Amino acid sequence: MILPLLFYERDTVTVARALLGMRLVHATPGGRTVGRIVETEAYLFNGDPACHAHKGKTKRNAVMFGPPGHAYIYFVYGMYYCFNVVTAPEGIGEAVLVRALEPLEGIPLMEKRRHTRALHNLCSGPGKLVQAMGMSGELNGCPLYRGPLTIHAPDSFGLESTVQEAEIIATPRIGITKAADLPLRFCLKGNQFASRRTHP
DNA sequence: TGCCTGATTGCCT
DNA sequence: GGCAATCAGGCAA
């Protein structure tokens, strides 16, 4: 089942946790790739200086202020993209950064795009998974409930989280300097496919 | 294993 | 002009 707009139009931390276990699907002419979300980070409008939207709307972060359930993809460090899911009602600049996936389908295509055959190195980081899934800046602002990039609940799950609360750990976020102490990174406990650093 | 650095570009001050 | 929600590779221990 493709997650509907309703799923995203909630509290950002709730969505960040609920996204764990969901499947990101990208259909391209070259083939279809699917990954299970195993690591996310929440970025909040208020009280979170690390959030791109913290200082207000700009050209770069405009999508974060738009309707939820859309992709916010930005370019960073001159060579990488990061993929986020816009959350919270329109006008509230919040999003969830997807930091790691467990590769499920289209693994040969991911290997080709990433130029490696190491399964644990295909999607274990925000820049890596964008590369492995074949995403680009063109998808910035696209809805995630209507292809080519969509997020699905695994069969037999609805809007509720697909994982037990006890299976989720919260840690400080990665690679930021501001508000570095806030526990807004969420991972599946003991998952092999998360980006390296763990800080339980 | 873990720390340090270079690569490379658009956006914001 | 500075910096950024990163990554890969090099080097030391």
Side-chain angles (χ1 to χ4, degrees):
Chain A
M1 178 190 101
I2 292 182
L3 296 176
L5 179 59
L6 185 67
F7 177 88
Y8 303 99
E9 200 165 36
R10 298 182 289 173
D11 169 77
T12 298
V13 169
T14 300
V15 177
R17 302 176 75 102
L19 278 172
L20 294 174
M22 297 299 180
R23 282 135 202 230
L24 181 64
V25 178
H26 191 203
T28 68
R32 180 178 131 113
T33 45
V34 181
R36 177 173 174 249
I37 298 172
V38 300
E39 180 180 348
T40 61
E41 283 181 0
Y43 284 87
L44 311 178
F45 192 31
N46 293 307
D48 181 10
C51 179
H52 287 176
H54 181 68
K55 290 182 181 173
K57 191 172 176 178
T58 66
K59 182 180 174 183
R60 183 199 201 199
N61 66 26
V63 172
M64 289 181 83
F65 289 85
H70 288 234
Y72 169 49
I73 298 180
Y74 66 89
F75 188 60
V76 72
Y77 293 115
M79 53 174 70
Y80 296 108
Y81 290 93
C82 289
F83 166 66
N84 299 248
V85 173
V86 176
T87 56
E90 194 162 350
I92 308 292
E94 304 199 343
V96 173
L97 170 69
V98 177
R99 285 195 56 89
L101 305 173
E102 175 179 342
L104 294 181
E105 284 181 40
I107 292 171
L109 184 52
M110 291 184 182
E111 291 173 342
K112 190 174 156 192
R113 287 169 174 157
R114 290 272 303 126
H115 303 109
T116 176
R117 296 193 61 190
L119 190 62
H120 291 275
N121 197 27
L122 292 178
C123 300
S124 54
K128 296 180 188 180
L129 71 89
V130 163
Q131 210 178 7
M133 296 291 288
M135 297 187 267
S136 74
E138 291 178 17
L139 292 167
N140 187 39
C142 287
L144 295 167
Y145 39 84
R146 174 168 83 227
L149 183 64
T150 47
I151 302 180
H152 301 239
D155 293 342
S156 82
F157 284 97
L159 294 192
E160 299 311 312
S161 178
T162 66
V163 297
Q164 301 289 327
E165 279 297 302
E167 294 306 307
I168 299 174
I169 56 173
T171 79
R173 292 171 293 183
I174 306 289
I176 56 171
T177 53
K178 297 170 232 170
D181 52 331
L182 298 180
L184 293 176
R185 172 183 180 232
F186 305 99
C187 309
L188 293 180
K189 193 183 286 181
N191 189 278
Q192 306 285 309
F193 295 92
S195 68
R196 279 295 177 194
R197 289 135 77 184
T198 335
H199 203 295

PDB file of all heavy atoms in Angstrom, chain A residues 74 80 84 114 127, chain C residues 4-8:
ATOM      1  N   TYR A  74      18.008  18.078  -1.607  1.00  0.00           N
ATOM      2  CA  TYR A  74      18.905  19.227  -1.733  1.00  0.00           C
ATOM      3  C   TYR A  74      20.328  18.762  -2.008  1.00  0.00           C
ATOM      4  O   TYR A  74      20.715  17.633  -1.730  1.00  0.00           O
ATOM      5  CB  TYR A  74      18.847  20.107  -0.483  1.00  0.00           C
ATOM      6  CG  TYR A  74      19.384  19.434   0.750  1.00  0.00           C
ATOM      7  CD1 TYR A  74      20.738  19.519   1.070  1.00  0.00           C
ATOM      8  CD2 TYR A  74      18.546  18.699   1.571  1.00  0.00           C
ATOM      9  CE1 TYR A  74      21.237  18.903   2.188  1.00  0.00           C
ATOM     10  CE2 TYR A  74      19.040  18.070   2.693  1.00  0.00           C
ATOM     11  CZ  TYR A  74      20.386  18.175   2.993  1.00  0.00           C
ATOM     12  OH  TYR A  74      20.881  17.542   4.091  1.00  0.00           O
ATOM     13  N   TYR A  80      26.859  15.901  -3.470  1.00  0.00           N
ATOM     14  CA  TYR A  80      25.896  14.892  -3.016  1.00  0.00           C
ATOM     15  C   TYR A  80      24.507  15.488  -2.853  1.00  0.00           C
ATOM     16  O   TYR A  80      24.350  16.696  -2.659  1.00  0.00           O
ATOM     17  CB  TYR A  80      26.342  14.296  -1.682  1.00  0.00           C
ATOM     18  CG  TYR A  80      27.637  13.554  -1.768  1.00  0.00           C
ATOM     19  CD1 TYR A  80      28.801  14.066  -1.211  1.00  0.00           C
ATOM     20  CD2 TYR A  80      27.700  12.345  -2.449  1.00  0.00           C
ATOM     21  CE1 TYR A  80      30.004  13.389  -1.313  1.00  0.00           C
ATOM     22  CE2 TYR A  80      28.895  11.659  -2.555  1.00  0.00           C
ATOM     23  CZ  TYR A  80      30.049  12.182  -1.992  1.00  0.00           C
ATOM     24  OH  TYR A  80      31.225  11.507  -2.106  1.00  0.00           O
ATOM     25  N   ASN A  84      14.817  13.910   1.674  1.00  0.00           N
ATOM     26  CA  ASN A  84      13.955  14.122   2.839  1.00  0.00           C
ATOM     27  C   ASN A  84      12.502  13.968   2.457  1.00  0.00           C
ATOM     28  O   ASN A  84      12.129  14.150   1.294  1.00  0.00           O
ATOM     29  CB  ASN A  84      14.077  15.559   3.359  1.00  0.00           C
ATOM     30  CG  ASN A  84      15.459  15.935   3.811  1.00  0.00           C
ATOM     31  OD1 ASN A  84      15.699  16.139   4.983  1.00  0.00           O
ATOM     32  ND2 ASN A  84      16.396  16.046   2.884  1.00  0.00           N
ATOM     33  N   ARG A 114      26.407   2.502  -7.744  1.00  0.00           N
ATOM     34  CA  ARG A 114      27.323   2.820  -6.649  1.00  0.00           C
ATOM     35  C   ARG A 114      28.754   2.366  -6.938  1.00  0.00           C
ATOM     36  O   ARG A 114      29.677   2.643  -6.169  1.00  0.00           O
ATOM     37  CB  ARG A 114      26.826   2.154  -5.363  1.00  0.00           C
ATOM     38  CG  ARG A 114      25.547   2.762  -4.804  1.00  0.00           C
ATOM     39  CD  ARG A 114      25.835   3.940  -3.862  1.00  0.00           C
ATOM     40  NE  ARG A 114      26.690   3.530  -2.786  1.00  0.00           N
ATOM     41  CZ  ARG A 114      27.836   4.142  -2.468  1.00  0.00           C
ATOM     42  NH1 ARG A 114      28.259   5.177  -3.164  1.00  0.00           N
ATOM     43  NH2 ARG A 114      28.561   3.711  -1.464  1.00  0.00           N
ATOM     44  N   GLY A 127      23.759  10.297   1.239  1.00  0.00           N
ATOM     45  CA  GLY A 127      24.259  10.508  -0.113  1.00  0.00           C
ATOM     46  C   GLY A 127      24.299   9.205  -0.893  1.00  0.00           C
ATOM     47  O   GLY A 127      24.014   9.160  -2.094  1.00  0.00           O
TER      48      GLY A 127
ATOM     49  P    DA C   4      28.912  25.076   8.207  1.00  0.00           P
ATOM     50  OP1  DA C   4      28.240  25.631   9.398  1.00  0.00           O
ATOM     51  OP2  DA C   4      30.176  24.344   8.343  1.00  0.00           O
ATOM     52  O5'  DA C   4      27.853  24.145   7.463  1.00  0.00           O
ATOM     53  C5'  DA C   4      26.699  24.731   6.886  1.00  0.00           C
ATOM     54  C4'  DA C   4      26.158  23.794   5.829  1.00  0.00           C
ATOM     55  O4'  DA C   4      26.867  23.972   4.595  1.00  0.00           O
ATOM     56  C3'  DA C   4      26.283  22.312   6.195  1.00  0.00           C
ATOM     57  O3'  DA C   4      25.077  21.631   5.887  1.00  0.00           O
ATOM     58  C2'  DA C   4      27.410  21.811   5.315  1.00  0.00           C
ATOM     59  C1'  DA C   4      27.331  22.733   4.109  1.00  0.00           C
ATOM     60  N9   DA C   4      28.633  22.976   3.487  1.00  0.00           N
ATOM     61  C8   DA C   4      29.854  22.998   4.090  1.00  0.00           C
ATOM     62  N7   DA C   4      30.849  23.263   3.279  1.00  0.00           N
ATOM     63  C5   DA C   4      30.232  23.421   2.051  1.00  0.00           C
ATOM     64  C6   DA C   4      30.730  23.732   0.777  1.00  0.00           C
ATOM     65  N6   DA C   4      32.025  23.928   0.516  1.00  0.00           N
ATOM     66  N1   DA C   4      29.853  23.816  -0.235  1.00  0.00           N
ATOM     67  C2   DA C   4      28.550  23.622   0.018  1.00  0.00           C
ATOM     68  N3   DA C   4      27.960  23.338   1.180  1.00  0.00           N
ATOM     69  C4   DA C   4      28.877  23.254   2.166  1.00  0.00           C
ATOM     70  P    DA C   5      24.139  21.331   7.118  1.00  0.00           P
ATOM     71  OP1  DA C   5      22.807  21.821   6.784  1.00  0.00           O
ATOM     72  OP2  DA C   5      24.768  21.767   8.413  1.00  0.00           O
ATOM     73  O5'  DA C   5      24.061  19.750   7.060  1.00  0.00           O
ATOM     74  C5'  DA C   5      24.812  18.927   7.934  1.00  0.00           C
ATOM     75  C4'  DA C   5      24.263  17.516   7.861  1.00  0.00           C
ATOM     76  O4'  DA C   5      22.882  17.541   8.259  1.00  0.00           O
ATOM     77  C3'  DA C   5      24.276  16.894   6.467  1.00  0.00           C
ATOM     78  O3'  DA C   5      24.308  15.471   6.572  1.00  0.00           O
ATOM     79  C2'  DA C   5      22.933  17.317   5.906  1.00  0.00           C
ATOM     80  C1'  DA C   5      22.053  17.172   7.157  1.00  0.00           C
ATOM     81  N9   DA C   5      20.906  18.055   7.164  1.00  0.00           N
ATOM     82  C8   DA C   5      20.850  19.338   7.606  1.00  0.00           C
ATOM     83  N7   DA C   5      19.668  19.873   7.505  1.00  0.00           N
ATOM     84  C5   DA C   5      18.885  18.878   6.951  1.00  0.00           C
ATOM     85  C6   DA C   5      17.536  18.808   6.580  1.00  0.00           C
ATOM     86  N6   DA C   5      16.691  19.825   6.748  1.00  0.00           N
ATOM     87  N1   DA C   5      17.078  17.668   6.060  1.00  0.00           N
ATOM     88  C2   DA C   5      17.926  16.656   5.905  1.00  0.00           C
ATOM     89  N3   DA C   5      19.222  16.585   6.198  1.00  0.00           N
ATOM     90  C4   DA C   5      19.642  17.731   6.733  1.00  0.00           C
ATOM     91  P    DT C   6      25.788  14.737   6.524  1.00  0.00           P
ATOM     92  OP1  DT C   6      25.526  13.309   6.680  1.00  0.00           O
ATOM     93  OP2  DT C   6      26.661  15.477   7.445  1.00  0.00           O
ATOM     94  O5'  DT C   6      26.280  14.963   5.038  1.00  0.00           O
ATOM     95  C5'  DT C   6      25.551  14.421   3.935  1.00  0.00           C
ATOM     96  C4'  DT C   6      26.487  13.670   3.016  1.00  0.00           C
ATOM     97  O4'  DT C   6      27.630  14.487   2.727  1.00  0.00           O
ATOM     98  C3'  DT C   6      27.022  12.363   3.598  1.00  0.00           C
ATOM     99  O3'  DT C   6      26.729  11.317   2.684  1.00  0.00           O
ATOM    100  C2'  DT C   6      28.518  12.584   3.745  1.00  0.00           C
ATOM    101  C1'  DT C   6      28.800  13.688   2.745  1.00  0.00           C
ATOM    102  N1   DT C   6      29.913  14.574   3.117  1.00  0.00           N
ATOM    103  C2   DT C   6      30.914  14.777   2.184  1.00  0.00           C
ATOM    104  O2   DT C   6      30.909  14.251   1.082  1.00  0.00           O
ATOM    105  N3   DT C   6      31.910  15.614   2.585  1.00  0.00           N
ATOM    106  C4   DT C   6      32.012  16.269   3.801  1.00  0.00           C
ATOM    107  O4   DT C   6      32.952  16.994   4.041  1.00  0.00           O
ATOM    108  C5   DT C   6      30.941  16.015   4.726  1.00  0.00           C
ATOM    109  C7   DT C   6      30.935  16.678   6.060  1.00  0.00           C
ATOM    110  C6   DT C   6      29.955  15.195   4.348  1.00  0.00           C
ATOM    111  P    DC C   7      27.040   9.799   3.020  1.00  0.00           P
ATOM    112  OP1  DC C   7      26.006   8.972   2.386  1.00  0.00           O
ATOM    113  OP2  DC C   7      27.297   9.684   4.462  1.00  0.00           O
ATOM    114  O5'  DC C   7      28.398   9.533   2.249  1.00  0.00           O
ATOM    115  C5'  DC C   7      28.421   9.836   0.856  1.00  0.00           C
ATOM    116  C4'  DC C   7      29.821   9.661   0.306  1.00  0.00           C
ATOM    117  O4'  DC C   7      30.662  10.742   0.739  1.00  0.00           O
ATOM    118  C3'  DC C   7      30.508   8.365   0.723  1.00  0.00           C
ATOM    119  O3'  DC C   7      30.962   7.725  -0.444  1.00  0.00           O
ATOM    120  C2'  DC C   7      31.652   8.821   1.624  1.00  0.00           C
ATOM    121  C1'  DC C   7      31.918  10.237   1.122  1.00  0.00           C
ATOM    122  N1   DC C   7      32.454  11.166   2.125  1.00  0.00           N
ATOM    123  C2   DC C   7      33.534  11.999   1.791  1.00  0.00           C
ATOM    124  O2   DC C   7      34.015  11.918   0.666  1.00  0.00           O
ATOM    125  N3   DC C   7      34.015  12.858   2.713  1.00  0.00           N
ATOM    126  C4   DC C   7      33.463  12.913   3.919  1.00  0.00           C
ATOM    127  N4   DC C   7      33.962  13.788   4.798  1.00  0.00           N
ATOM    128  C5   DC C   7      32.359  12.075   4.284  1.00  0.00           C
ATOM    129  C6   DC C   7      31.893  11.218   3.362  1.00  0.00           C
ATOM    130  P    DA C   8      31.405   6.178  -0.420  1.00  0.00           P
ATOM    131  OP1  DA C   8      30.635   5.517  -1.475  1.00  0.00           O
ATOM    132  OP2  DA C   8      31.400   5.661   0.958  1.00  0.00           O
ATOM    133  O5'  DA C   8      32.922   6.303  -0.881  1.00  0.00           O
ATOM    134  C5'  DA C   8      33.225   7.174  -1.954  1.00  0.00           C
ATOM    135  C4'  DA C   8      34.715   7.409  -1.992  1.00  0.00           C
ATOM    136  O4'  DA C   8      35.099   8.359  -0.965  1.00  0.00           O
ATOM    137  C3'  DA C   8      35.558   6.159  -1.770  1.00  0.00           C
ATOM    138  O3'  DA C   8      36.636   6.201  -2.677  1.00  0.00           O
ATOM    139  C2'  DA C   8      36.027   6.293  -0.321  1.00  0.00           C
ATOM    140  C1'  DA C   8      36.114   7.802  -0.135  1.00  0.00           C
ATOM    141  N9   DA C   8      35.841   8.261   1.216  1.00  0.00           N
ATOM    142  C8   DA C   8      34.971   7.736   2.138  1.00  0.00           C
ATOM    143  N7   DA C   8      34.934   8.397   3.277  1.00  0.00           N
ATOM    144  C5   DA C   8      35.837   9.434   3.081  1.00  0.00           C
ATOM    145  C6   DA C   8      36.252  10.493   3.901  1.00  0.00           C
ATOM    146  N6   DA C   8      35.800  10.696   5.140  1.00  0.00           N
ATOM    147  N1   DA C   8      37.168  11.355   3.407  1.00  0.00           N
ATOM    148  C2   DA C   8      37.619  11.157   2.165  1.00  0.00           C
ATOM    149  N3   DA C   8      37.305  10.208   1.289  1.00  0.00           N
ATOM    150  C4   DA C   8      36.398   9.365   1.814  1.00  0.00           C
TER     151       DA C   8
END
